[in-house]
Amino acid sequence: MIGKKMEDALNGQINAEFYSAYLYLSMSAYFETINLSGFSNWMQVQFEEEQFHAMKMFGYLNDRGGKVVLQAIDTPPCKWDSPLAVLEETLAHEVKVTGLVNDLMILAREERDIATENFIRWFIDEQVEEEDNANKLVGQLKMIKDSPQALFMIDRELGQRVYTPPTAAEGNA
Ligand code: FEO
């Protein structure tokens, strides 16, 4: 059985993951309004990944005899000044989520909840990739400055991204 403190913290994280999904879906909609459908597609893949993260926690909490309590999801922003501003917000958001995941790990250790510690390790690794993906795009957008041709090329590349759910071995799902 999972302890109450850990249960509350995981419920909070389920909400944070659903907020992330909502944020990226809003970013996807924004990119459609400026005709960058490749960026929009990339954000939709982010949206799907975040839903996977939330549902992974949902499943784990149920498996440990905890009670999932869903909370209201905050309204995400819907306007940005540029593609770079969107990706900078993405990176800042992922850094924040990394902090939340680290806090879950620290709490699991304090509570001597080894099963949750093992479970959270997957998210720790995932955050490395999440930050890296956003960081690379921020770097590329800074590099191209205001070149519409280069932006078009990146957009075409991001249009190729496809959501692939982690395998059972990767995701323990
Ligand atoms: Fe669920 Fe993007 O971290």
Side-chain angles (χ1 to χ4, degrees):
M1 281 291 283
I2 199 154
K4 177 78 178 125
K5 254 187 167 173
M6 205 69 245
E7 178 186 87
D8 288 348
L10 286 171
N11 270 315
Q13 191 63 27
I14 288 172
N15 184 264
E17 299 292 346
F18 276 125
Y19 175 77
S20 301
Y22 232 36
L23 175 65
Y24 295 139
L25 193 59
S26 186
M27 289 172 170
S28 172
Y30 163 77
F31 279 122
E32 283 297 337
T33 68
I34 56 170
N35 300 312
L36 289 173
S37 55
F39 279 87
S40 176
N41 172 66
W42 193 89
M43 285 298 173
Q44 278 200 31
V45 174
Q46 285 293 105
F47 163 71
E48 305 225 43
E49 284 195 352
E50 299 303 348
Q51 288 188 106
F52 177 84
H53 296 168
M55 292 312 295
K56 190 173 168 66
M57 294 210 172
F58 180 101
Y60 175 76
L61 198 43
N62 283 331
D63 288 350
R64 292 290 312 283
K67 179 167 171 44
V68 171
V69 179
L70 296 178
Q71 297 151 24
I73 303 168
D74 288 344
T75 305
C78 61
K79 264 199 218 153
W80 290 267
D81 291 337
S82 64
L84 177 59
V86 181
L87 269 302
E88 282 179 334
E89 181 163 343
T90 301
L91 177 58
H93 183 70
E94 288 303 333
V95 169
K96 186 174 147 195
V97 172
T98 298
L100 296 176
V101 169
N102 288 346
D103 287 346
L104 288 176
M105 180 61 106
I106 291 163
L107 181 63
R109 286 181 177 162
E110 281 170 5
E111 297 286 298
R112 302 174 66 81
D113 183 344
I114 309 300
T116 301
E117 205 180 308
N118 269 341
F119 173 73
I120 294 299
R121 198 157 283 125
W122 182 88
F123 287 87
I124 301 265
D125 292 342
E126 177 76 354
Q127 282 310 118
V128 173
E129 194 184 318
E130 293 274 84
E131 284 189 27
D132 184 46
N133 286 343
N135 196 27
K136 278 187 181 136
L137 279 174
V138 166
Q140 286 178 15
L141 288 172
K142 282 184 175 165
M143 196 190 310
I144 68 167
K145 298 211 169 75
D146 295 324
S147 161
Q149 291 91 338
L151 188 62
F152 180 74
M153 297 292 287
I154 296 178
D155 189 62
R156 277 230 306 229
E157 189 192 320
L158 299 187
Q160 307 299 314
R161 189 182 186 198
V162 176
Y163 174 63
T164 342
T167 61
E170 286 166 344
N172 291 328

